[in-house]
Every structure is written in structure tokens, then in C-alpha cells.
Coordinates of all heavy atoms in Angstrom, one line a residue:
D1 N 5.3 -10.2 -11.0 CA 5.7 -9.5 -9.7 C 6.2 -8.1 -10.1 O 7.4 -8.0 -10.6 CB 6.8 -10.4 -9.0 CG 6.9 -10.0 -7.6 OD1 6.0 -9.4 -7.0 OD2 7.9 -10.4 -7.0
R2 N 5.4 -7.1 -9.8 CA 5.8 -5.7 -10.0 C 5.7 -4.9 -8.7 O 5.0 -5.4 -7.8 CB 4.9 -5.1 -11.0 CG 5.1 -5.5 -12.4 CD 4.3 -4.7 -13.3 NE 4.3 -5.2 -14.7 CZ 3.6 -4.6 -15.7 NH1 2.9 -3.5 -15.5 NH2 3.6 -5.2 -16.9
K3 N 6.3 -3.8 -8.7 CA 6.2 -2.9 -7.5 C 4.7 -2.4 -7.4 O 4.1 -2.1 -8.4 CB 7.1 -1.7 -7.6 CG 8.6 -2.1 -7.5 CD 9.4 -0.9 -7.6 CE 10.9 -1.2 -7.6 NZ 11.8 -0.1 -7.9
L4 N 4.2 -2.3 -6.2 CA 2.9 -1.9 -5.9 C 2.8 -1.1 -4.7 O 3.5 -1.5 -3.7 CB 1.9 -3.1 -5.8 CG 0.5 -2.8 -5.4 CD1 -0.3 -2.2 -6.6 CD2 -0.2 -4.1 -5.0
T5 N 2.1 0.0 -4.7 CA 1.9 0.8 -3.4 C 0.4 0.7 -3.2 O -0.4 1.0 -4.0 CB 2.4 2.2 -3.6 OG1 3.8 2.2 -3.8 CG2 2.0 3.0 -2.3
I6 N 0.1 0.4 -1.9 CA -1.3 0.4 -1.5 C -1.5 1.6 -0.5 O -0.8 1.7 0.5 CB -1.7 -0.9 -0.7 CG1 -1.4 -2.1 -1.6 CG2 -3.1 -0.8 -0.2 CD1 -1.5 -3.5 -0.8
A7 N -2.2 2.6 -1.0 CA -2.5 3.8 -0.2 C -3.9 3.7 0.4 O -4.9 3.6 -0.3 CB -2.3 5.0 -1.0
R8 N -3.9 3.7 1.7 CA -5.2 3.5 2.4 C -5.6 4.7 3.3 O -4.7 5.2 4.0 CB -5.1 2.2 3.3 CG -6.3 1.7 3.9 CD -6.1 0.5 4.7 NE -5.5 0.8 6.0 CZ -6.1 1.2 7.1 NH1 -7.4 1.5 7.0 NH2 -5.5 1.5 8.2
E9 N -6.8 5.1 3.2 CA -7.3 6.2 4.1 C -6.5 7.4 4.0 O -6.1 8.0 5.0 CB -7.4 5.7 5.5 CG -8.4 4.6 5.8 CD -9.9 5.1 5.6 OE1 -10.3 5.9 6.4 OE2 -10.5 4.7 4.6
L10 N -6.2 7.8 2.7 CA -5.4 9.0 2.5 C -6.0 10.3 3.1 O -7.2 10.5 3.1 CB -5.2 9.3 1.0 CG -4.2 8.3 0.3 CD1 -4.2 8.5 -1.2 CD2 -2.8 8.4 0.9
T11 N -5.2 11.1 3.7 CA -5.5 12.3 4.4 C -6.4 12.1 5.6 O -7.1 13.1 6.1 CB -6.2 13.4 3.5 OG1 -7.5 13.0 3.1 CG2 -5.4 13.6 2.2
K12 N -6.5 10.9 6.2 CA -7.3 10.7 7.3 C -6.4 10.2 8.5 O -5.2 9.9 8.3 CB -8.4 9.6 7.0 CG -9.3 10.1 5.9 CD -10.4 9.1 5.6 CE -11.3 9.6 4.5 NZ -11.9 8.6 3.7
V13 N -7.0 10.0 9.6 CA -6.3 9.7 10.9 C -5.5 8.3 10.7 O -4.4 8.2 11.1 CB -7.2 9.6 12.1 CG1 -6.5 9.1 13.3 CG2 -7.8 10.9 12.4
H14 N -6.1 7.4 10.1 CA -5.5 6.0 9.9 C -4.8 5.8 8.6 O -4.8 4.7 8.1 CB -6.6 5.0 10.2 CG -7.2 5.0 11.5 ND1 -6.5 4.7 12.7 CD2 -8.5 5.4 11.9 CE1 -7.3 4.9 13.7 NE2 -8.5 5.3 13.3
E15 N -4.3 6.9 8.0 CA -3.6 6.8 6.7 C -2.5 5.8 6.8 O -1.8 5.7 7.8 CB -3.0 8.2 6.4 CG -2.3 8.2 5.1 CD -1.7 9.5 4.7 OE1 -2.6 10.5 4.5 OE2 -0.5 9.7 4.5
Q16 N -2.4 5.0 5.7 CA -1.3 4.0 5.7 C -0.8 3.8 4.2 O -1.6 3.8 3.3 CB -1.9 2.6 6.1 CG -0.9 1.5 6.2 CD -1.6 0.2 6.7 OE1 -2.8 0.0 6.6 NE2 -0.8 -0.7 7.3
I17 N 0.5 3.8 4.1 CA 1.1 3.7 2.8 C 1.9 2.4 2.9 O 2.8 2.3 3.7 CB 2.1 4.9 2.5 CG1 1.3 6.2 2.6 CG2 2.7 4.7 1.1 CD1 0.1 6.4 1.7
I18 N 1.6 1.4 2.0 CA 2.3 0.1 2.0 C 3.0 0.0 0.7 O 2.3 -0.1 -0.4 CB 1.3 -1.0 2.2 CG1 0.5 -0.8 3.5 CG2 2.0 -2.4 2.2 CD1 -0.8 -1.7 3.6
R19 N 4.3 0.0 0.7 CA 5.1 -0.2 -0.5 C 5.5 -1.7 -0.6 O 6.2 -2.1 0.3 CB 6.3 0.7 -0.5 CG 5.9 2.2 -0.7 CD 7.2 3.1 -0.8 NE 6.7 4.5 -0.8 CZ 6.6 5.2 0.3 NH1 6.9 4.7 1.5 NH2 6.2 6.5 0.3
T20 N 5.1 -2.4 -1.6 CA 5.2 -3.8 -1.6 C 5.4 -4.3 -3.1 O 5.7 -3.4 -3.9 CB 4.0 -4.5 -0.9 OG1 4.2 -5.9 -0.9 CG2 2.7 -4.2 -1.5
T21 N 5.1 -5.5 -3.3 CA 5.0 -6.0 -4.7 C 3.7 -6.7 -4.9 O 3.0 -7.1 -3.9 CB 6.2 -7.0 -5.0 OG1 6.0 -8.2 -4.2 CG2 7.6 -6.4 -4.7
T22 N 3.4 -7.0 -6.1 CA 2.1 -7.7 -6.4 C 2.1 -9.1 -5.7 O 1.0 -9.5 -5.2 CB 1.8 -7.8 -7.9 OG1 2.9 -8.4 -8.5 CG2 1.5 -6.5 -8.5
R23 N 3.2 -9.8 -5.8 CA 3.2 -11.1 -5.2 C 3.1 -11.0 -3.7 O 2.2 -11.7 -3.1 CB 4.6 -11.8 -5.5 CG 4.7 -13.2 -4.9 CD 6.0 -13.9 -5.2 NE 7.2 -13.1 -4.7 CZ 7.6 -13.0 -3.4 NH1 6.9 -13.7 -2.5 NH2 8.6 -12.3 -3.1
E24 N 3.8 -10.2 -3.0 CA 3.7 -10.1 -1.6 C 2.3 -9.6 -1.1 O 1.8 -10.1 -0.2 CB 4.8 -9.1 -1.0 CG 6.2 -9.6 -1.1 CD 7.2 -8.6 -0.8 OE1 6.9 -7.4 -0.5 OE2 8.4 -8.9 -0.9
A25 N 1.8 -8.7 -1.8 CA 0.5 -8.1 -1.5 C -0.6 -9.2 -1.7 O -1.5 -9.3 -0.8 CB 0.1 -6.9 -2.4
A26 N -0.5 -10.0 -2.8 CA -1.5 -11.0 -3.0 C -1.5 -12.1 -1.9 O -2.5 -12.6 -1.5 CB -1.3 -11.7 -4.3

């Protein structure tokens, strides 16, 4: 269980930054 950031659709209209952990994300 480590810190993880999921960056989705960077520089686009639906950009999303999700700061989570590996456990929560899985």
C-alpha cells in the first residue's frame, strides 16, 4: 500500500487527478 496518483486526460476537458493509494485504487 503506497501513495498513487492517477492522472487522466491531462490538458483536456475531462482532466482528472486522483490522489489515492495502491490498495484503494485496486
Side-chain angles (χ1 to χ4, degrees):
D1 200 19
R2 290 191 189 177
K3 292 178 185 175
L4 174 72
T5 297
I6 302 170
R8 190 180 75 78
E9 292 293 289
L10 289 172
T11 74
K12 297 182 182 152
V13 174
H14 300 291
E15 179 177 301
Q16 185 179 23
I17 307 302
I18 303 165
R19 290 182 189 91
T20 184
T21 66
T22 51
R23 181 184 55 78
E24 290 171 359

